[in-house]
Amino acid sequence: MKRTLLALAATLAVTGALAEYPEKPITIIVPFAAGGPTDKVARDFAEALRKPLNNATIVIENVGGAGGTLGATRVAKAAPDGYTLLLHHIGMATSPALYRNLQYKTLEGFEYLGLINEVPMTLIGRPTLPASNYAELLKWIEANKGKINLANAGLGAASHLCGLLYQSTLKVDMTTVPYKGTGPAMTDLIGGQVDIMCDQTTNTTSQIEGGKVKAFAVTTPKRLTTPILAKLPTLDESGMKGFNVSIWHGLYAPAGTPKAVVDKLNTALKAALKDADFQKREEALGAVVVTDNRVNPAEHKKWVESEINKWGPVIKAAGQYAD
Ligand code: ASP
């Protein structure tokens, strides 16, 4: 009798806690510097996510460095109570091959909540770069071999993967300059401290529009529809047949987060992705909100697993790793 009462009390406590979730601010860790593409997605997304969570306060915390693995470690080690989440990109799938001392298990260390968006990338250059289109850029690269600086957001960042693929396709080695995110890298590119960068459209569109950087090409096989980006050629049509880099973002909680909280967050995530303001914002920045079955814990996890299997051999073949 006593045990039954205790069990009943425990069930009520859990149900009660859940009914109230979230009862305090939720922190979303962005594993890159402020002002960059992942930070921008996170801030817009948080606005949409708070609505189905009773207008909860959502705080964005930037924990940049080591290609996103420092922020991911923070979340893997956080209390599994639904109050510390991770918004991370493709780096979630490339880090197992890149980092020999990863402090978390990519598949077992998190509850997968669902994908958020897919973002094409653009190849951009400093404003003073003496090239105004892709053909001129190729000539400039040829004439400046051995002297070119390519910015990125660290091993495993989208800008790193794209830059790696670009250099190997072109068979030209550039000096890579790593930052804690492409937010600060963009500042240096605009200032002329680095020459070129491959970066997500969510971070480059307004800079291209404002004439702050030079834009040369897009990394997806189809041209983009966002007006300012539509005139850019694809790398695929510019002699790099098959060149295709598109970056996805997803949402995670620490492993062991109660299933009821995971379900509540997934339901809120689905609602947030249907938010008209969020969709409009993403579209204007060249990104596409995910609406397929990957907005679902099991499919999201399967997707990351397939990306680990896709990128692992590419990274190993390129001899890239960090201790
Ligand atoms: N996602 C990174 C950032 O937000 C950039 C990258 O991965 O290239 O800065």
Side-chain angles (χ1 to χ4, degrees):
M1 179 64 181
K2 201 170 160 207
R3 276 174 70 155
T4 319
L5 280 178
L6 278 178
L8 185 64
T11 310
L12 286 175
V14 168
T15 319
L18 178 65
E20 285 156 25
Y21 175 83
E23 57 177 5
K24 58 178 187 179
I26 296 170
T27 298
I28 296 183
I29 303 279
V30 168
F32 292 100
T38 303
D39 181 62
K40 284 197 178 94
V41 169
R43 285 173 199 274
D44 288 341
F45 170 72
E47 262 317 295
L49 185 70
R50 58 192 295 267
K51 295 180 198 167
L53 290 173
N54 295 331
N55 290 323
T57 300
I58 300 183
V59 178
I60 302 293
E61 192 180 334
N62 299 88
V63 183
T69 57
L70 299 183
T73 301
R74 220 353 229 284
V75 177
K77 294 187 171 167
D81 55 8
Y83 290 103
T84 308
L85 307 177
L86 172 70
L87 193 153
H88 198 357
H89 70 0
I90 191 168
M92 193 76 180
T94 56
S95 47
L98 284 163
Y99 289 86
R100 291 180 169 178
N101 270 319
L102 216 52
Q103 300 294 306
Y104 56 86
K105 289 202 164 104
T106 301
L107 293 173
E108 297 85 11
F110 299 90
E111 301 298 333
Y112 284 63
L113 301 172
L115 283 194
I116 297 172
N117 72 355
E118 286 181 300
V119 199
M121 300 188 84
T122 43
L123 182 63
I124 56 174
R126 61 176 156 85
T128 48
L129 201 141
S132 297
N133 55 44
Y134 189 65
E136 289 177 16
L137 176 73
L138 283 182
K139 278 193 199 134
W140 179 83
I141 289 176
E142 189 57 36
N144 288 279
K145 274 185 182 166
K147 292 189 283 186
I148 301 168
N149 290 320
L150 172 77
N152 72 29
L155 274 185
S159 42
H160 166 241
L161 295 173
C162 180
L164 198 65
L165 204 58
Y166 187 68
Q167 290 175 88
S168 69
T169 312
L170 206 58
K171 298 191 175 52
V172 173
D173 281 336
M174 303 180 188
T175 305
T176 50
V177 185
Y179 291 82
K180 282 191 176 173
T182 52
M186 179 67 84
T187 307
D188 274 10
L189 188 79
I190 293 171
Q193 280 94 331
V194 283
D195 297 314
I196 57 173
M197 174 161 78
C198 212
D199 195 13
Q200 296 163 70
T201 56
T202 36
N203 199 35
T204 63
T205 305
S206 61
Q207 308 294 4
I208 294 170
E209 205 158 21
K212 299 251 174 64
V213 295
K214 293 209 169 166
F216 300 109
V218 297
T219 63
T220 40
K222 256 187 164 171
R223 285 198 183 208
L224 305 180
T225 50
T226 306
I228 188 74
L229 305 171
K231 56 176 188 265
L232 293 177
T234 67
L235 285 171
D236 176 277
E237 76 184 65
S238 308
M240 291 192 166
K241 199 88 211 107
F243 197 103
N244 185 4
V245 182
S246 173
I247 304 307
W248 46 267
H249 285 88
L251 192 65
Y252 308 81
T257 302
K259 178 159 186 325
V261 173
V262 167
D263 289 347
K264 200 159 185 179
L265 282 166
N266 174 254
T267 303
L269 164 62
K270 285 190 171 119
L273 298 186
K274 291 198 180 107
D275 185 279
D277 290 339
F278 179 61
Q279 287 188 348
K280 231 198 269 159
R281 194 84 193 110
E282 289 292 286
E283 199 185 321
L285 296 175
V288 178
V289 173
V290 175
T291 51
D292 57 36
N293 62 2
R294 292 171 301 168
V295 189
N296 165 321
E299 293 301 321
H300 176 192
K301 194 167 184 173
K302 263 196 221 156
W303 168 255
V304 173
E305 214 166 350
S306 72
E307 287 283 280
I308 290 174
N309 294 333
K310 172 178 157 185
W311 286 99
V314 177
I315 290 163
K316 288 201 173 115
Q320 301 272 319
Y321 64 85
D323 283 321

